[in-house]
Amino acid sequence: RDCLSLVNNTFLGRRVGVHELVFRLLPPQDLKNLSLVCQVWREAGEPVLWSKGVLRVTRENMTSVVEALDDSRRLQAVKNIRVEVVSKELLEAVARKQGLKSVNLHCCDLSAFEPELVARAVRGLEEVNMLGARLTQQQVEAVLAVSCTRGSRMETLNIGGTQSCHLFLCFSLGK
């Protein structure tokens, strides 16, 4: 270990090394390069790198993303997800994922899923984009109810803009 690992500070209530504090200030490309230097820097840098990016869920990677959201040390730091194709398992994994800030479900067909599952998937998020997503009226009502509950962290909800949802909301909850 290097001397930086001996000096500790507190960041968001958690003890972290100075190198992690410095890594948080770096642009993603520099952070990626630093993560290649040695194991200590990779262990400190990868969570910061993953927290800055957007995890894209596609048809090709959905199964592995669902598994990794629960089990992967790397993906523990993911804060933002962009969903191109959705499944019940993915919505359940998103609902269980701690520390997630935003999910983009733009143009996804959610109409086949239980309203409670869709609401549970977005409950703890700060930002939800469902513009162009295919939703039932019951799903819209469930999402709106969750966004307005006491203790909700949701600050931004973009919803509507499809034939199945004759509602267009794009607002900031101002919390």
Side-chain angles (χ1 to χ4, degrees):
R1 297 240 173 199
D2 59 21
C3 63
L4 288 178
S5 65
L6 300 174
V7 181
N8 286 305
N9 271 313
T10 303
F11 184 75
L12 298 176
R14 175 174 78 82
R15 291 186 65 80
V16 295
V18 171
H19 53 292
E20 186 176 343
L21 294 173
V22 172
F23 287 0
R24 290 183 181 280
L25 301 174
L26 297 174
Q29 185 60 45
D30 291 344
L31 187 54
K32 178 183 165 196
N33 291 336
L34 278 175
S35 295
L36 299 173
V37 171
C38 68
Q39 183 177 351
V40 172
W41 285 18
R42 185 180 73 239
E43 289 173 0
E46 276 187 350
V48 177
L49 185 60
W50 280 99
S51 71
K52 289 185 176 191
V54 176
L55 177 62
R56 192 170 143 232
V57 181
T58 65
R59 187 173 316 285
E60 293 78 23
N61 72 3
M62 183 169 40
T63 302
S64 58
V65 166
V66 168
E67 293 171 4
L69 279 174
D70 288 329
D71 300 328
S72 172
R73 184 183 69 78
R74 282 182 174 172
L75 295 189
Q76 287 176 0
V78 168
K79 303 289 182 215
N80 308 295
I81 298 179
R82 165 72 168 103
V83 179
E84 294 178 8
V85 62
V86 69
S87 70
K88 178 181 178 185
E89 294 77 17
L90 178 66
L91 290 176
E92 290 169 344
V94 167
R96 288 188 303 269
K97 176 80 174 86
Q98 298 292 314
L100 198 57
K101 288 188 175 186
S102 73
V103 171
N104 185 340
L105 294 157
H106 176 74
C107 292
C108 287
D109 186 356
L110 299 166
S111 61
F113 304 107
E114 291 294 321
E116 294 77 22
L117 175 59
V118 176
R120 220 173 45 246
V122 302
R123 178 176 292 140
L125 303 175
E126 294 176 15
E127 184 176 335
V128 177
N129 181 6
M130 295 178 147
L131 286 177
R134 195 166 181 173
L135 298 160
T136 65
Q137 180 177 342
Q138 292 82 11
Q139 289 170 328
V140 171
E141 290 170 1
V143 169
L144 289 174
V146 161
S147 70
C148 295
T149 59
R150 173 172 274 185
S152 171
R153 294 179 31 215
M154 196 174 301
E155 296 175 2
T156 304
L157 173 63
N158 301 322
I159 191 170
T162 66
Q163 291 179 347
S164 65
C165 178
H166 301 290
L167 169 73
F168 185 80
L169 292 173
C170 186
F171 63 92
S172 177
L173 297 172
K175 295 182 181 178

